[in-house]
Amino acid sequence: MTEAEDRKPRSDEARTTYDPEITSEFALPEGLAVPRGGVESETTSEFAVPEGLQAPPPSSAEPEGSAFSLPRTYSAKDSLVAFTPATGVPVVSLIKDAPWQDRMRTMLRMPVTERPAPESVQRAEDEGPAVPRVLDLTLRIGELLLAGGEGAEDVEAAMFAVCRSYGLDRCEPTVTFTLLSISHQPSLVDDPVTASRTVRRRGTDYTRLAAVFHLVDDLTDPETHVSLEEAYRRLAEIRRNRHPYPGWALTLAGGLLAGAASVLVGGDLIVFIAAALGAMLGDRLAWLCAGRGLPEFYQFTVAAMPPAAIGVAFSLTHVGVNASAVVTGGLFALLPGRALVAGVQDGLTGFYITASARLLEVMYFFVGIVVGVLVVLYFGVKVGGKLDPDAALGGISERPLVQIAASMLLSLTFAVLLQQERSTVLAVTLNGGVAWSVYGAMHYAGGISPVASTAVAAGLVGLFGQLLSRYRFASALPYTTAAIGPLLPGSATYFGLLNMAQNEVDKGLVSLAKAASLAMAIAIGVNLGSEISRLTLRVGSAGKRRAAKRTRGF
């Protein structure tokens, strides 16, 4: 063997033969032969089919299973009926001759799966409406209604009615205090389309509100065809429409409202004139502050000062004039009754976010009035002014006809301040006179508590206002808001502020608590009267109007 052959690497056999000391735990023992497999893989699995077991091939006719497909052992004959009523699922049918507010409110309170399919009466093109344009029109209509003081539920009903009139099913409108949004999903597999709009400015114009309701009524009428272009044109005319009453008429109406309110709490002709002058001066100062860009809080504060200053001046001169009635009359023109009723109505119908925002706005306005009056009363008491809280209540029950006339004048001027249509002024004036007559008969003649008397009178206001609105297929606000003017707690508010200015905090808090109770009684009474009127009418589904189901305390 040569030296080169000695340097070649030896094989395993040679190494095993010649090097017996080199071992491994993985080495095969001598004499054990392992058979080699041909093409079979040595890897195994617990899911592998054992040898000798042939699985049947899948049938090409049987479809692939799904989580939503019924099992092969399912039988409709043996299925349970626990989730289905014994008489079957009732068919939902809406009364077509009912007002669109009630029909849409009924559908909004239904689950989405139970709502009947829309009957498209406004679809002008064969390919269907332009969804973004319909949603934009819906949001613009909802913006005008919400800015005009309409309740959140009625705004949602109007938006829902506009969408369904153009054939858009599966629409979900959402209304908060300053934000409107709506979502439309054509089907469960299509992407939803969502649009929103912010309400930045709010104003009181019930003439514009009535025009918007008339537009929605025409859109939902199956016999009236209104295209998208025509709806946009009418909406633009509504937005550009001027107020029915000029600025000087509003100032005069505010003065007459304050004068009529002063007569309601026992004032005479001199008190009427003084309260009217103070309210008109405060209105002009508030307009001046608004022109300078000051927030509404300061506008209410400034507007409350002139009537209080005139009342303090009468008390200092000792002219024998009921100074408390002057201040009370000036407060009536400033109390935010419209926002209070709308806020409580939203809370009662389940829109708690909007209700909280509205009531917070009312609280800010009320605090502004309190600050303005307290500043004047405080300095008036410091300089020797003598204001008697009980003097404003003298002789009210002795002149009922004068009180009724004053209440009707107050409602009439309140309607002018709300920019109502001239055709509704007479109805709301009579409604306000009826409200005060009921309140006076219950409280002064019957001796019933003022809170209960106020609630009953406000309930009649809501009942008659809802019936009048159904007769004209319009909003109920123009028939109810001005009619509650005589019931506003102006005297209780003034007494509380006067007692606090005279360092009688306990009496002041009691009077302010009474004012808050009266305000809540007004709002709840108006809403309850509206609901009672709906119960007497054939509206909603199958003759009934579905109410929102709550948690019942759970």
Side-chain angles (χ1 to χ4, degrees), residues 101-102 105-106 109 153-154 344-351 458-467 469-470 476 480 523-539 543-548 550:
Q101 301 100 307
D102 294 314
R105 187 183 291 109
T106 301
R109 293 181 176 184
E153 187 177 29
D154 291 329
V344 175
Q345 180 182 359
D346 289 341
L348 294 176
T349 53
F351 294 85
L460 289 178
V461 168
L463 175 63
F464 294 150
Q466 197 67 233
L467 293 177
S469 67
R470 289 298 181 269
T480 57
I524 295 176
V526 170
N527 182 264
L528 183 60
S530 301
E531 295 297 330
I532 292 175
S533 68
R534 293 192 183 102
L535 292 177
T536 60
L537 301 175
R538 290 184 68 250
V539 297
K544 296 182 181 180
R545 173 175 174 265
R546 292 191 177 185
R550 301 301 171 208

Side-chain angles (χ1 to χ4, degrees), residues 12 30 72 112 135 140 183 243 282 405 422 432-433 493 507:
D12 292 339
E30 295 183 3
R72 284 175 294 177
V112 179
L135 297 184
R140 292 178 183 274
S183 178
H243 298 307
R422 292 179 174 86
T493 303
K507 293 183 179 179

Side-chain angles (χ1 to χ4, degrees), residues 39 78 119 131 203 210 217 295 350 426 451 543:
V39 295
D78 300 331
E119 298 179 3
V131 174
D217 187 43
L426 179 59
V451 177

Side-chain angles (χ1 to χ4, degrees), residues 261-505:
S262 66
V263 174
L264 281 180
V265 293
D268 51 11
L269 181 60
I270 298 178
V271 172
F272 179 91
I273 297 174
L277 292 177
M280 287 189 289
L281 180 58
D283 181 76
R284 289 294 92 190
L285 291 177
W287 277 105
L288 182 63
C289 294
R292 297 295 184 271
L294 290 178
E296 287 183 299
F297 176 86
Y298 302 104
Q299 297 176 28
F300 275 84
T301 301
V302 172
M305 288 183 175
I310 293 177
V312 171
F314 278 143
S315 67
L316 291 175
T317 56
H318 304 284
V319 294
V321 176
N322 193 342
S324 298
V326 177
V327 184
T328 303
L331 290 179
F332 265 86
L334 299 175
L335 293 177
R338 174 184 60 87
L340 174 67
V341 173
V344 175
Q345 180 182 359
D346 289 341
L348 294 176
T349 53
F351 294 85
Y352 300 113
I353 297 178
T354 308
S356 301
R358 288 186 191 268
L359 294 178
L360 184 62
E361 182 186 39
V362 171
M363 187 192 71
Y364 271 104
F365 292 162
F366 188 78
V367 170
I369 298 171
V370 167
V371 170
V373 175
L374 271 182
V375 169
V376 176
L377 292 180
Y378 178 79
F379 285 104
V381 172
K382 287 297 182 181
V383 298
K386 301 295 183 180
L387 295 172
D388 186 9
D390 298 329
L393 297 178
I396 295 180
S397 59
E398 299 175 359
R399 46 179 191 175
L401 297 180
V402 176
Q403 303 297 316
I404 295 175
S407 65
M408 296 177 67
L409 177 60
L410 193 152
S411 300
L412 188 148
T413 53
F414 202 176
V416 173
L417 289 176
L418 294 175
Q419 301 282 0
Q420 292 189 196
E421 290 182 303
R422 292 179 174 86
S423 59
T424 63
V425 172
L426 179 59
V428 74
T429 300
L430 295 177
N431 202 6
V434 171
W436 181 259
S437 300
V438 173
Y439 172 79
M442 294 183 63
H443 178 53
Y444 297 113
I448 303 177
S449 67
V451 177
S453 303
T454 301
V456 174
L460 289 178
V461 168
L463 175 63
F464 294 150
Q466 197 67 233
L467 293 177
L468 288 172
S469 67
R470 289 298 181 269
Y471 175 73
R472 298 201 176 191
F473 288 86
S475 173
L477 288 182
Y479 301 98
T480 57
T481 305
I484 65 172
L487 305 176
L488 292 176
S491 57
T493 303
Y494 166 68
F495 294 158
L497 300 181
L498 180 59
N499 288 324
M500 295 182 69
Q502 294 175 348
N503 292 327
E504 297 179 358
V505 181

